Amino acid sequence: MTATLELGALATEADTTALVTGWHRVCAVEDLELAWGEAALITGRQVALFRTGPREVFAVAHEDPATGAHVMARGILGSRGSRPTIASPLHKEVYDLETGECFGTAAVRLETFSTRISDGFVEVEA
């Protein structure tokens, strides 16, 4: 099951600066299960979040670039060598979580977003 985390649910006055600079507080790191995807709505965009380690979170577009379906949070985490990957749950196209590069089809790319952890919260630059 994928939960949708709304930015407004966690917004406080302290978040005002983050909104101006492009960083958006999404959720507590502990809200993300290790090796599992979650969908978040950030300024009207659907983003898939993946926690791959205690302090490592990746953010990519929730929309599968090959099909247009919003399913990437349900993808399969893996790796190609040292590169963390996500496989689309529909056609199993494999994407690099850091760059969005598609390993099977060079013309297809998954949009990626910078992330950081601040005071125990995941923030995404969008």
Side-chain angles (χ1 to χ4, degrees):
M1 182 171 99
T2 299
T4 300
L5 304 170
E6 296 273 351
L7 176 63
L10 295 174
T12 65
E13 288 181 33
D15 292 332
T16 305
T17 302
L19 293 174
V20 173
T21 61
W23 286 98
H24 305 278
R25 183 173 281 189
V26 180
C27 63
V29 175
E30 293 79 28
D31 289 343
L32 297 177
E33 199 171 324
L34 197 58
W36 191 259
E38 294 292 346
L41 187 60
I42 304 172
T43 63
R45 294 192 57 144
Q46 293 186 40
V47 176
L49 300 170
F50 302 95
R51 182 176 172 199
T52 58
R55 295 195 50 81
E56 185 172 50
V57 176
F58 292 94
V60 299
H62 189 39
E63 182 179 357
D64 181 337
T67 66
H70 289 85
V71 296
M72 293 309 291
R74 295 184 179 149
I76 303 162
L77 287 172
S79 64
R80 292 275 173 105
S82 63
R83 298 168 73 177
T85 62
I86 182 70
S88 168
L90 296 179
H91 297 290
K92 308 302 185 253
E93 287 282 2
V94 178
Y95 301 90
D96 186 309
L97 276 173
E98 293 175 333
T99 67
E101 173 190 354
C102 179
F103 291 101
T105 308
V108 178
R109 181 170 289 282
L110 180 64
E111 187 176 6
T112 60
F113 302 91
S114 297
T115 62
R116 67 183 182 192
I117 297 174
S118 177
D119 297 324
F121 287 90
V122 175
E123 294 182 347
V124 175
E125 187 175 33

